[in-house]
Amino acid sequence: MLISTLALATSLQTSPQYVDISRVFKAGETSKYAVRSRLQMETRQLGQTVFLPSSVRIDYDFTLNVKQMLDEGFAVHIYRRPTMTITDGETASSPPRKNVEQTNINYEMTLSPANEMTNAKALVARWAAASSPAAPAPQDLMSVVGQFTGELQRLALFTGSLDSGMDLSPKLPYDEVRVGDTWKRTVGYSPQRIANSDKAAVQRLDYTFTYKGVMEANGQKFHRVQATMSLDSNAAEFVNQSMGMTPGQSGLEAINLKLDATIDFDLDLNTRKTLRALAVSKGGYDVRISQVPGQPVLEQKLSGRSQLSLAP
């Protein structure tokens, strides 16, 4: 009986403990964050023997203010992002160019304890244009291709929509978790072939979140949540379908999109407010047409790095 009791006590001590990592809001609380992102690109077009490097930086600050507490831990927030600084890096033909865009983003939203928006309205009309630029109406095949490659670049920078970016992340689990537990949230959509079919459609693109446990750095303890996302898709079928053309008519054989991304989020032990986040991505794309068999007419390698930090 004594051995059995000791074994049970040992088992209880070593078994992983469930913890609640849902977000805790406080009325009137204001949090100010800085986001610093850099995307390194290497591009090669048909006829070029080497990849030409270029880069872009996107830097901005934003604030989240808890305007009102609601039932069950939900809260109304005001999100503000007054400016964005976009810096195109030096190239062989031009010096660095910096532009400060007056975005004046002002948004009212309801956030759940899982960091998910349940209600949202723009308080400034420019929000839609600033956060998710509308693509121009496609005039030809390459403009359609550019929509997909541009979205891949935004994903690599983690500065696209609020769903795929870091500002309101991580998306937290609905239940208590133990170290190693995972959950998924949709952050976007990507063309994929439908299983057991010759058709293509836009499928969900998910982040997989993993609870890594309590960690410590510089004398501070925090919850670590890691997000990973992997995209490996050929968008050509979807583009041809959307234009009502066959590959033989359009000449488009492949738009190969690849991206692997990882984000580490450090959360306050008590409120689960994001203290900081580090995101890295690597991927690229290539475009192939039937008129030039065996080699891409355009290819680009992407390497992104973004940091989010809470101001003291």
Side-chain angles (χ1 to χ4, degrees):
M1 181 67 177
L2 179 59
I3 294 177
S4 176
T5 302
L6 289 174
L8 176 60
T10 302
S11 175
L12 290 174
Q13 290 174 358
T14 58
S15 57
Q17 299 297 307
Y18 283 94
V19 295
D20 177 9
I21 60 169
S22 57
R23 182 73 169 87
V24 179
F25 302 113
K26 180 181 179 181
E29 178 185 44
T30 297
S31 303
K32 182 177 181 179
Y33 288 93
V35 175
R36 303 292 181 260
S37 301
R38 178 183 175 90
L39 181 65
Q40 187 71 36
M41 298 165 284
E42 296 178 67
T43 309
R44 182 169 67 181
Q45 299 184 27
L46 183 66
Q48 293 178 330
T49 57
V50 298
F51 284 88
L52 300 179
S54 61
S55 66
V56 62
R57 292 186 63 96
I58 298 182
D59 301 332
Y60 61 89
D61 298 339
F62 71 91
T63 58
L64 268 178
N65 173 253
V66 182
K67 178 181 177 182
Q68 179 186 358
M69 292 299 302
L70 303 176
D71 294 337
E72 299 180 351
F74 286 65
V76 179
H77 287 71
I78 302 297
Y79 174 100
R80 293 186 177 92
R81 189 197 303 177
T83 65
M84 293 178 67
T85 301
I86 302 173
T87 305
D88 292 315
E90 182 180 6
T91 67
S93 58
S94 65
R97 293 174 298 174
K98 178 183 290 188
N99 177 53
V100 179
E101 182 178 351
Q102 300 297 320
T103 52
N104 296 318
I105 295 171
N106 194 348
Y107 214 58
E108 182 177 284
M109 62 184 70
T110 299
L111 294 179
S112 76
N115 269 348
E116 294 180 326
M117 284 188 292
T118 59
N119 268 314
K121 65 178 180 180
L123 302 179
V124 174
R126 192 170 180 186
W127 162 262
S131 65
S132 182
Q139 301 298 319
D140 53 33
L141 178 63
M142 291 312 295
S143 65
V144 178
V145 171
Q147 293 181 34
F148 290 99
T149 57
E151 182 58 29
L152 187 71
Q153 292 171 344
R154 285 186 285 275
L155 279 173
L157 260 177
F158 309 97
T159 56
S161 69
L162 289 180
D163 289 332
S164 62
M166 298 192 297
D167 297 10
L168 302 180
S169 287
K171 306 308 178 190
L172 298 171
Y174 302 125
D175 302 308
E176 292 184 340
V177 292
R178 297 180 296 182
V179 174
D181 282 353
T182 63
W183 59 98
K184 291 186 177 183
R185 294 290 191 278
T186 299
V187 297
Y189 297 87
S190 174
Q192 303 281 351
R193 177 187 287 274
I194 300 173
N196 303 317
S197 170
D198 60 353
K199 300 290 185 180
V202 174
Q203 303 291 321
R204 298 192 326 174
L205 183 61
D206 294 331
Y207 270 122
T208 298
F209 295 92
T210 303
Y211 178 57
K212 294 291 188 176
V214 174
M215 299 185 178
E216 183 174 354
N218 299 321
Q220 182 184 40
K221 291 185 177 181
F222 49 83
H223 294 285
R224 168 68 59 83
V225 171
Q226 185 176 84
T228 58
M229 183 267 292
S230 183
L231 168 66
D232 188 350
S233 175
N234 182 353
E237 285 183 279
F238 182 82
V239 171
N240 285 325
Q241 277 182 209
S242 65
M243 298 182 67
M245 303 174 73
T246 66
Q249 292 171 323
S250 70
L252 181 63
E253 291 188 340
I255 310 174
N256 296 310
L257 309 171
K258 292 187 177 182
L259 188 70
D260 291 303
T262 300
I263 313 176
D264 287 328
F265 295 95
D266 296 342
L267 312 180
D268 182 88
L269 283 183
N270 299 314
T271 66
R272 273 72 71 179
K273 174 193 292 189
T274 300
L275 303 173
R276 57 194 158 264
L278 174 63
V280 293
S281 66
K282 191 168 290 290
Y285 64 84
D286 66 66
V287 180
R288 298 171 184 264
I289 60 176
S290 57
Q291 294 91 329
V292 185
Q295 59 180 317
V297 294
L298 175 64
E299 52 189 322
Q300 187 174 81
K301 301 175 184 178
L302 302 171
S303 180
R305 181 182 177 90
S306 298
Q307 291 181 287
L308 176 148
S309 56
L310 175 68

